[in-house]
Amino acid sequence: STMLPLLLLLLPAAHGIAHLAYRPALTKEPQLEGVKTASTFVVDQPRCVFQNYSNAVIWLVVALNQAASSFNNSAGPGTSETAFQRFPDPVRAYMTLNVTLGSYPCPKPDGDIAVLRVGSETSCIQDDTRPTCNGPLPHPGPYRVKFLALEGSVPVAETAWSVPITLREAKPTSTISTTGSGHSADMIAITTILSILFAILLAGLVAMLFFWGSDSCGSSSTFSKPESVTVRRYNTHHVYDQPAARL
């Protein structure tokens, strides 16, 4: 009688885990920018992949490239063995972004952007009560990811591992060249000097035009003094009535 419960517990393990042909990959959504940053990357959601496991919870497993092949599927999520806060040392792979199958509807509705951004949470980085935190990735990697379906604590299906994913590497501040800013300062100085010289030249030209205009107006407004008109006076010879000629 004591053997029956033990056999029931061992039955799922004996049945084995289903290996699905799906391989996670970086998204190719054309309208999505920042597919890879210095601490995050974006993969497509596994739509129409786990439709035969309606009672399962689907987890994303994030592992260092060299640790992917040795990941133990029976390692429970939310434990110190798979906690994000202990990644990447001593934990070499952690589990995050758990959802039920309803979160991955099949087929994908038109207009949906069906992606997952790995590394997008910052509030739980140091929170040990959130071992499944989807926190920023600590270095460029490379990393590999896969999806794992659990029914209770039993793994029932998994995808293949992705190809290695290497993040963008931020340049150290000491390696950033300041030559460009020097050239910019030189260009600003040259532009300022040229602007001043142009203003002086323009002011001189305006003054010259003003003086030329003044001379031109002066010559056109000078009138020669008109000759004085001499009016001769004539004495009018009065005509007197002559006495009538004597007859």
Side-chain angles (χ1 to χ4, degrees):
S1 59
T2 58
M3 292 295 295
L4 183 58
L6 182 60
L7 290 175
L8 291 175
L9 289 174
L10 293 176
L11 185 60
H15 183 267
I17 184 171
H19 301 281
L20 308 177
Y22 179 80
R23 184 182 298 275
L26 293 175
T27 186
K28 294 183 180 179
E29 288 282 353
Q31 64 269 46
L32 191 66
E33 297 182 358
V35 173
K36 288 196 299 182
T37 69
S39 60
T40 69
F41 60 89
V42 182
V43 295
D44 287 320
Q45 294 178 0
R47 299 293 181 96
C48 304
V49 175
F50 293 97
Q51 62 267 34
N52 294 328
Y53 303 92
S54 57
N55 296 323
V57 175
I58 303 164
W59 293 81
L60 179 71
V61 183
V62 184
L64 298 175
N65 180 43
Q66 62 272 27
S69 60
S70 59
F71 176 74
N72 181 8
N73 284 332
S74 62
T79 65
S80 60
E81 191 178 355
T82 58
F84 167 81
Q85 288 76 16
R86 305 183 69 195
F87 182 80
D89 186 25
V91 169
R92 312 291 280 173
Y94 66 95
M95 300 173 68
T96 186
L97 294 176
N98 56 305
V99 296
T100 60
L101 189 60
S103 297
Y104 296 147
C106 176
K108 180 176 77 69
D110 292 339
D112 276 11
I113 300 178
V115 298
L116 297 173
R117 182 173 290 276
V118 181
S120 62
E121 290 186 84
T122 57
S123 60
C124 53
I125 296 174
Q126 302 295 332
D127 187 356
D128 291 335
T129 65
R130 295 274 311 280
T132 61
C133 175
N134 180 29
L137 296 163
H139 54 69
Y143 303 96
R144 299 176 76 179
V145 298
K146 74 173 181 178
F147 291 98
L148 178 65
L150 301 179
E151 290 183 353
S153 59
V154 179
V156 293
E158 67 173 350
T159 67
W161 287 99
S162 69
V163 299
I165 299 171
T166 302
L167 304 184
R168 295 181 181 274
E169 190 166 2
K171 289 185 177 181
T173 306
S174 58
T175 64
I176 299 176
S177 174
T178 58
T179 305
S181 60
H183 285 318
S184 299
D186 291 343
M187 290 300 296
I188 292 173
I190 293 172
T191 303
T192 303
I193 293 171
L194 290 176
S195 299
I196 294 172
L197 292 176
F198 179 75
I200 294 173
L201 180 62
L202 183 61
L205 181 62
V206 170
M208 187 179 298
L209 291 175
F210 176 77
F211 286 120
W212 282 353
S214 297
D215 291 344
S216 175
C217 292
S219 60
S220 62
S221 62
T222 302
F223 298 97
S224 59
K225 183 178 180 181
E227 295 181 359
S228 59
V229 179
T230 302
V231 179
R232 294 182 179 182
R233 297 180 63 85
Y234 293 92
N235 291 324
T236 304
H237 298 281
H238 295 282
V239 179
Y240 298 98
D241 292 335
Q242 301 295 327
R246 292 180 181 181
L247 295 178

